[in-house]
Amino acid sequence: GGAAPKQSKKVDYVIVEDYGSSILGRLQSIFKKAIEEAFPGLDVPLLLAETPNPQFGDYQCNSAMPIAAKLKSTGVNKKPGDVGREIHAKLATNIEFIEKITVMPAGFINIFLKTDYLCRQISQLASNGITLPRVVKKRVLVDFSSPNIAKEMHVGHLRSTIIGDSICRLFESVGFDVLRVNHIGDWGTQFGMLIAHLYDRFPNFLNKLPDISDLQAFYKESKKRFDEDEVFKKRAYECVVKLQSHEEEIVKAWNTICDVSKRYNQIVYDHLDIKIKDVGESFYQEKMVDLVKWIKENKPGMLREEEGRQIMFPSGCSVPLTVVKSDGGFTYDTSDLAALKYRMIEEKCDWNIYVVDAGQNLHLETIYAAGRDFGWYDETTQRVEHVGFGLVLGEDGKKFKTRSGETVRLLDLLSEGVKRAADKLKEKGREAVMTEEELNSARDAVAFGCVKYADLSHTRTQDYVFSFDRMLDDRGNTAVYLLYAYARIRSIVRTSGIKNEDLAAYIAKNPSLPLNHPAELKLAKQLLKLADCVLLVLDSLMLHQMCDYVYRLATLFHDFYNECYVIEKKDGESVTVHFHRLALCEVTANVISTCFKILGIREVPKM
Ligand code: ARG
């Protein structure tokens, strides 16, 4: 394979206006400033992270060693311990959320949070609801799902759909202006044979939408005829020409095929609560013509002719883009070039995110390199990025297929999920305690939630094994576990007998909640990390980081609930209600709910 240049500059695309409750973010900016003051001009990345060992505080800055090493390379000898102390000396002494800062002999700087700060922040969250950090608003386009008409959506597109939707939700949650774009493959020469085949199989298609239940089979049939039957092949070519010159009836035939395919896809989208707008390859028909003209006029040296094709090698790329084929037609490359230009120049996007399988990385990076050569965007301020993902594998570790070796139909897959979720709820005896309506909505939340969460919770750049057994396990890092945890927390508050307004009155009177049990404090700290998590994922676009966050939150809640009474009962009568713990329950449920919204998981109040 060839190579395409990666964007070399690491730019801070996410500009934070207000960290809100993000402790890590605030610490990072405080330490960056202190280090810059103590050691100006040293370009050493900041190392600052949570410490798992409470002996060393809540966070630790480990920059002293690399700074000492860097100083040494410039001829200055300073022990890491001294570096640490000099950084410490530049830190303000009265930071509202810090109890104390200590410097270890080896230069590590330990940061201890002030308990009172935690107590105030949790009270804030309890009274004002969850707020996310404020970041500079961006206009963002997310290209996701993007199946091909007639070749049916497959599990790869399911990954793109799930990941892309969640990225959109994340962007929307911080107030970005989001364009959700379905770059469907709805144009190209394959439509010739499909249209010709449509005429033969469904001669009445103009009057009645044909009942093509299996578009995949329809595609295969027409391909077979195309390969074996010269007369059919010629007709197919004629259809392409007629389609390109917009002959009315042929356009109708094309539309019919697109409609059948889109209807099917829409059912998948409806199940998964996906909103997306079609701006497919056909949208760029005229734009591709204009593009070639534009290149020839404005960047003449860029196109080169080779065996009748017009190709280009963007800077640093070893595999060329084919802009015009020898028969004068366009390619996937041409439509992606036209799309990039349109998105950056007409749509004026700040960010343009492509959620596409990792196998297309070379293609996309080459397109981006061309876009930079053409001056369509400035990579120091605009983020154009391929968000790649690995393959979906079956439990045998091979490419995900049906038993007979066919590609799995997404609707079949989702129906199986629904059936398995129903069994799961039955197995847990939920029928006895829930109405049919509640049961159905729980079933769907579990089914679709588990498919989404299984995908999102795996590192997206890696392949992942699709297993219903694993995703429906209620003891692991799964949607089922989280949905149960969430419902349980909501029910604690619901069944406490305490009225919402009484809890609200308590919180209003206690701007600092009396948290002191270690399990309470641990939970509180995790709750305040939501803001860090959101900022992290905005930068990495790795949603498993949010899954890890919410899973850890649920387990810490579990620990808290085991160790601390929320309501103490005697003879079935509640004797003591610990209001501040009820408040912790509320905040935990609200944080989980916020994560569910970003992950695209439907919450159910009862399970
Ligand atoms: N339709 C393509 C496929 O199924 C994915 C399109 C991704 N988006 C893009 N702008 N190339 O492989």
Side-chain angles (χ1 to χ4, degrees), residues 143-148 154 157 183-185 281 332 336 339 343 354-357 360 363-364:
D143 174 330
F144 70 105
S145 194
S146 307
N148 300 317
H154 54 70
H157 297 118
H183 189 83
I184 38 178
E281 291 177 19
Y332 190 44
D336 259 327
R343 292 170 184 183
Y354 295 68
V355 186
V356 184
D357 66 90
Q360 298 195 36
H363 161 75
L364 290 172

Short mmCIF file of all heavy atoms in Angstrom, two decimals, residues 143-148 154 157 183-185 281 332 336 339 343 354-357 360 363-364, ligand 1:
data_model
loop_
_atom_site.label_atom_id
_atom_site.label_comp_id
_atom_site.label_asym_id
_atom_site.label_seq_id
_atom_site.Cartn_x
_atom_site.Cartn_y
_atom_site.Cartn_z
N ASP A 143 -19.88 13.18 8.62
CA ASP A 143 -20.22 12.28 7.51
C ASP A 143 -20.25 10.88 8.10
O ASP A 143 -19.21 10.36 8.51
CB ASP A 143 -19.12 12.46 6.44
CG ASP A 143 -19.20 11.52 5.26
OD1 ASP A 143 -19.68 10.38 5.41
OD2 ASP A 143 -18.72 11.92 4.18
N PHE A 144 -21.43 10.31 8.24
CA PHE A 144 -21.49 8.98 8.85
C PHE A 144 -22.58 8.12 8.24
O PHE A 144 -23.37 8.61 7.44
CB PHE A 144 -21.64 9.09 10.38
CG PHE A 144 -22.99 9.59 10.87
CD1 PHE A 144 -23.91 8.71 11.44
CD2 PHE A 144 -23.33 10.92 10.78
CE1 PHE A 144 -25.15 9.17 11.92
CE2 PHE A 144 -24.56 11.39 11.26
CZ PHE A 144 -25.47 10.51 11.83
N SER A 145 -22.58 6.87 8.61
CA SER A 145 -23.49 5.85 8.08
C SER A 145 -23.17 5.58 6.61
O SER A 145 -22.56 4.58 6.28
CB SER A 145 -24.95 6.25 8.26
OG SER A 145 -25.77 5.12 8.03
N SER A 146 -23.58 6.49 5.73
CA SER A 146 -23.15 6.49 4.32
C SER A 146 -23.11 5.13 3.63
O SER A 146 -22.07 4.73 3.10
CB SER A 146 -21.77 7.17 4.20
OG SER A 146 -21.81 8.44 4.82
N PRO A 147 -24.23 4.41 3.63
CA PRO A 147 -24.26 3.12 2.92
C PRO A 147 -24.35 3.35 1.42
O PRO A 147 -24.47 4.49 0.96
CB PRO A 147 -25.55 2.49 3.43
CG PRO A 147 -26.44 3.64 3.75
CD PRO A 147 -25.53 4.74 4.23
N ASN A 148 -24.27 2.26 0.69
CA ASN A 148 -24.41 2.35 -0.75
C ASN A 148 -25.79 1.83 -1.14
O ASN A 148 -26.22 0.79 -0.65
CB ASN A 148 -23.33 1.52 -1.43
CG ASN A 148 -21.96 2.03 -1.06
OD1 ASN A 148 -21.72 3.24 -1.03
ND2 ASN A 148 -21.05 1.11 -0.74
N HIS A 154 -24.45 -2.78 5.72
CA HIS A 154 -23.94 -3.95 6.44
C HIS A 154 -23.39 -3.53 7.80
O HIS A 154 -23.50 -2.35 8.18
CB HIS A 154 -22.89 -4.68 5.60
CG HIS A 154 -21.76 -3.79 5.13
ND1 HIS A 154 -20.82 -3.29 5.99
CD2 HIS A 154 -21.45 -3.31 3.90
CE1 HIS A 154 -19.95 -2.56 5.33
NE2 HIS A 154 -20.33 -2.54 4.04
N HIS A 157 -21.40 -0.38 8.12
CA HIS A 157 -22.18 0.85 8.15
C HIS A 157 -22.89 1.02 9.49
O HIS A 157 -23.14 2.14 9.93
CB HIS A 157 -23.21 0.85 7.01
CG HIS A 157 -22.58 0.83 5.66
ND1 HIS A 157 -22.78 -0.19 4.77
CD2 HIS A 157 -21.74 1.70 5.05
CE1 HIS A 157 -22.09 0.05 3.66
NE2 HIS A 157 -21.44 1.20 3.81
N HIS A 183 -23.56 10.44 3.42
CA HIS A 183 -22.91 10.53 2.11
C HIS A 183 -23.16 9.21 1.37
O HIS A 183 -22.25 8.41 1.14
CB HIS A 183 -21.41 10.78 2.32
CG HIS A 183 -20.63 11.10 1.08
ND1 HIS A 183 -20.56 12.35 0.55
CD2 HIS A 183 -19.88 10.31 0.26
CE1 HIS A 183 -19.80 12.34 -0.53
NE2 HIS A 183 -19.38 11.11 -0.73
N ILE A 184 -24.41 8.96 1.04
CA ILE A 184 -24.75 7.64 0.46
C ILE A 184 -24.20 7.49 -0.95
O ILE A 184 -24.10 8.45 -1.71
CB ILE A 184 -26.28 7.38 0.42
CG1 ILE A 184 -27.03 8.65 0.07
CG2 ILE A 184 -26.77 6.82 1.73
CD1 ILE A 184 -28.50 8.46 -0.04
N GLY A 185 -23.86 6.25 -1.26
CA GLY A 185 -23.38 5.94 -2.60
C GLY A 185 -24.58 5.73 -3.51
O GLY A 185 -25.06 4.61 -3.66
N GLU A 281 -23.70 10.98 -3.03
CA GLU A 281 -22.79 11.26 -4.15
C GLU A 281 -23.51 11.96 -5.30
O GLU A 281 -22.92 12.79 -6.00
CB GLU A 281 -22.14 9.95 -4.62
CG GLU A 281 -21.17 9.38 -3.59
CD GLU A 281 -20.57 8.05 -4.03
OE1 GLU A 281 -20.60 7.74 -5.23
OE2 GLU A 281 -20.07 7.31 -3.16
N TYR A 332 -15.10 7.67 -7.20
CA TYR A 332 -15.26 7.92 -5.76
C TYR A 332 -14.33 9.07 -5.33
O TYR A 332 -14.71 9.91 -4.52
CB TYR A 332 -14.89 6.63 -5.04
CG TYR A 332 -15.19 6.56 -3.56
CD1 TYR A 332 -16.41 7.01 -3.04
CD2 TYR A 332 -14.26 6.02 -2.67
CE1 TYR A 332 -16.67 6.91 -1.68
CE2 TYR A 332 -14.53 5.92 -1.31
CZ TYR A 332 -15.73 6.37 -0.82
OH TYR A 332 -16.00 6.27 0.53
N ASP A 336 -15.51 12.67 -3.67
CA ASP A 336 -15.01 13.10 -2.36
C ASP A 336 -14.25 14.42 -2.43
O ASP A 336 -14.30 15.22 -1.49
CB ASP A 336 -14.14 12.00 -1.71
CG ASP A 336 -14.94 11.25 -0.65
OD1 ASP A 336 -15.79 11.88 0.02
OD2 ASP A 336 -14.72 10.04 -0.48
N ALA A 339 -16.96 16.95 -2.62
CA ALA A 339 -17.63 17.07 -1.31
C ALA A 339 -16.77 17.88 -0.33
O ALA A 339 -17.27 18.72 0.40
CB ALA A 339 -17.91 15.68 -0.74
N ARG A 343 -17.96 21.32 1.35
CA ARG A 343 -18.11 21.43 2.81
C ARG A 343 -17.27 22.56 3.41
O ARG A 343 -17.71 23.24 4.33
CB ARG A 343 -17.71 20.10 3.46
CG ARG A 343 -18.68 18.98 3.13
CD ARG A 343 -18.13 17.65 3.57
NE ARG A 343 -19.03 16.57 3.15
CZ ARG A 343 -18.85 15.30 3.45
NH1 ARG A 343 -17.80 14.93 4.16
NH2 ARG A 343 -19.71 14.40 3.03
N TYR A 354 -15.13 12.52 9.22
CA TYR A 354 -15.55 11.37 8.40
C TYR A 354 -15.53 10.10 9.24
O TYR A 354 -14.45 9.64 9.63
CB TYR A 354 -14.60 11.17 7.22
CG TYR A 354 -14.58 12.29 6.19
CD1 TYR A 354 -14.09 13.55 6.51
CD2 TYR A 354 -15.04 12.07 4.90
CE1 TYR A 354 -14.07 14.57 5.56
CE2 TYR A 354 -15.02 13.08 3.94
CZ TYR A 354 -14.53 14.33 4.28
OH TYR A 354 -14.50 15.32 3.34
N VAL A 355 -16.69 9.54 9.49
CA VAL A 355 -16.74 8.30 10.27
C VAL A 355 -16.84 7.14 9.28
O VAL A 355 -17.92 6.78 8.82
CB VAL A 355 -17.92 8.32 11.26
CG1 VAL A 355 -17.87 7.09 12.16
CG2 VAL A 355 -17.91 9.59 12.09
N VAL A 356 -15.70 6.62 8.93
CA VAL A 356 -15.60 5.64 7.84
C VAL A 356 -14.62 4.55 8.25
O VAL A 356 -13.65 4.81 8.98
CB VAL A 356 -15.08 6.33 6.55
CG1 VAL A 356 -15.06 5.35 5.38
CG2 VAL A 356 -15.92 7.56 6.20
N ASP A 357 -14.85 3.32 7.79
CA ASP A 357 -13.99 2.22 8.20
C ASP A 357 -12.51 2.51 7.93
O ASP A 357 -12.17 3.21 6.98
CB ASP A 357 -14.43 0.91 7.53
CG ASP A 357 -14.23 0.94 6.03
OD1 ASP A 357 -13.14 0.55 5.59
OD2 ASP A 357 -15.14 1.39 5.32
N GLN A 360 -10.43 2.72 4.61
CA GLN A 360 -10.45 3.83 3.66
C GLN A 360 -9.53 4.98 4.06
O GLN A 360 -9.63 6.08 3.52
CB GLN A 360 -11.89 4.34 3.48
CG GLN A 360 -12.81 3.27 2.91
CD GLN A 360 -14.12 3.83 2.39
OE1 GLN A 360 -14.17 4.91 1.84
NE2 GLN A 360 -15.19 3.07 2.56
N HIS A 363 -7.37 6.48 1.17
CA HIS A 363 -8.21 7.27 0.27
C HIS A 363 -8.51 8.65 0.88
O HIS A 363 -8.30 9.68 0.25
CB HIS A 363 -9.52 6.51 -0.01
CG HIS A 363 -10.62 7.37 -0.53
ND1 HIS A 363 -10.64 7.84 -1.83
CD2 HIS A 363 -11.72 7.88 0.07
CE1 HIS A 363 -11.73 8.58 -2.01
NE2 HIS A 363 -12.40 8.63 -0.87
N LEU A 364 -8.95 8.65 2.14
CA LEU A 364 -9.36 9.91 2.76
C LEU A 364 -8.18 10.84 3.00
O LEU A 364 -8.25 12.03 2.71
CB LEU A 364 -10.13 9.64 4.06
CG LEU A 364 -11.52 9.03 3.84
CD1 LEU A 364 -12.15 8.60 5.16
CD2 LEU A 364 -12.44 10.01 3.11
N1 ARG B 1 -20.32 4.73 0.75
C1 ARG B 1 -19.01 4.46 1.26
C2 ARG B 1 -18.90 2.99 1.62
O1 ARG B 1 -19.87 2.33 1.86
C3 ARG B 1 -18.69 5.28 2.48
C4 ARG B 1 -18.67 6.76 2.26
C5 ARG B 1 -17.92 7.49 3.34
N2 ARG B 1 -17.88 8.91 3.15
C6 ARG B 1 -17.11 9.52 2.26
N3 ARG B 1 -17.19 10.82 2.17
N4 ARG B 1 -16.28 8.86 1.49
O2 ARG B 1 -17.79 2.46 1.67
#
